[in-house]
Amino acid sequence: MARPRTIDRDSVLDSAERLVQRRGASALTLDAVAREAGITKGGLQYCFGSKDDLITALIDRWIAQFDAQIARHLGPDPTPRARVAAYVAACGQTDAPTHARLVGMLVTLLHSPRHLQRVRDWYAGWFHKHMPGSDAGERARTAFFAAEGAFFLRSLGFVEMDEAQWQNIFASFQRLAM
């Protein structure tokens, strides 16, 4: 198989995600990712530097994708409560590939706790910037945690529900947030 002349970073990250989903985080080696992506290990190292840099790129991409989902639900000048409502809406509208990426991210984080700080910082931004200390803020915070809990339970396969049930639950979270 001919090797591509240029390396598409997103394609390599897709390959790394598929590898983790199929074989677990312990399979995430530079050799395995290079094989999965159809590039040389040297090309992978040129593109990402190290396995640590590859994991950082995966986490940054997951966060950026979710932030983009949230942004699609926001108006031009959203209030903190509207930001939480957008967060809840994004959690409720995730698709199967997003759920699979989440599981891959969690598995990767469990094997690389150093990267957990990046995710903690992202969540901390939500609590400091988007969670005012009023009654409405407390309801928004509760909706945030409820959405997160439902999202994780469904993504990890602990709870099964059809799409109508899922949307009904998230409509309740939306009402609580607003």
Side-chain angles (χ1 to χ4, degrees):
M1 178 167 138
R3 303 276 185 207
R5 290 188 176 181
T6 60
I7 296 174
D8 178 351
R9 286 177 59 90
D10 282 325
S11 178
V12 173
L13 293 174
D14 290 342
S15 296
E17 284 179 357
R18 280 192 306 274
L19 186 66
V20 169
Q21 289 165 8
R22 206 173 53 248
R23 296 185 33 219
S26 62
L28 189 67
T29 66
L30 292 179
D31 287 325
V33 172
R35 268 192 310 277
E36 183 80 19
I39 61 175
T40 64
K41 182 178 177 182
L44 179 64
Q45 288 174 307
Y46 177 79
C47 193
F48 289 99
S50 67
K51 178 181 173 182
D52 197 54
D53 294 335
L54 175 66
I55 292 171
T56 298
L58 281 168
I59 292 167
D60 288 346
R61 183 168 86 155
W62 289 324
I63 288 172
Q65 287 171 337
F66 192 68
D67 283 345
Q69 273 186 280
I70 294 167
R72 285 192 290 273
H73 295 281
L74 290 174
D77 190 26
T79 65
R81 283 181 27 214
R83 289 181 187 279
V84 172
Y87 185 95
V88 170
C91 283
Q93 294 178 346
T94 55
D95 55 12
T98 302
H99 287 283
R101 281 193 300 276
L102 169 70
V103 171
M105 182 175 91
L106 290 174
V107 170
T108 302
L109 288 173
L110 289 174
H111 287 338
S112 184
R114 185 182 85 66
H115 290 94
L116 191 57
Q117 190 58 47
R118 172 71 174 98
V119 176
R120 285 181 178 149
D121 292 344
W122 183 81
Y123 276 111
W126 275 94
F127 294 115
H128 297 303
K129 291 189 280 185
H130 306 301
M131 303 282 184
S134 64
D135 285 342
E138 290 302 313
R139 285 192 302 278
R141 184 187 321 249
T142 301
F144 178 91
F145 279 112
E148 277 291 296
F151 182 79
F152 278 99
L153 288 170
R154 187 180 191 201
S155 296
L156 296 171
F158 296 148
V159 173
E160 292 181 5
M161 64 183 75
D162 64 31
E163 192 61 27
Q165 292 171 310
W166 182 252
Q167 293 305 319
N168 187 33
I169 287 170
F170 272 83
S172 297
F173 298 159
Q174 284 285 30
R175 287 189 299 275
L176 185 60
M178 294 306 288

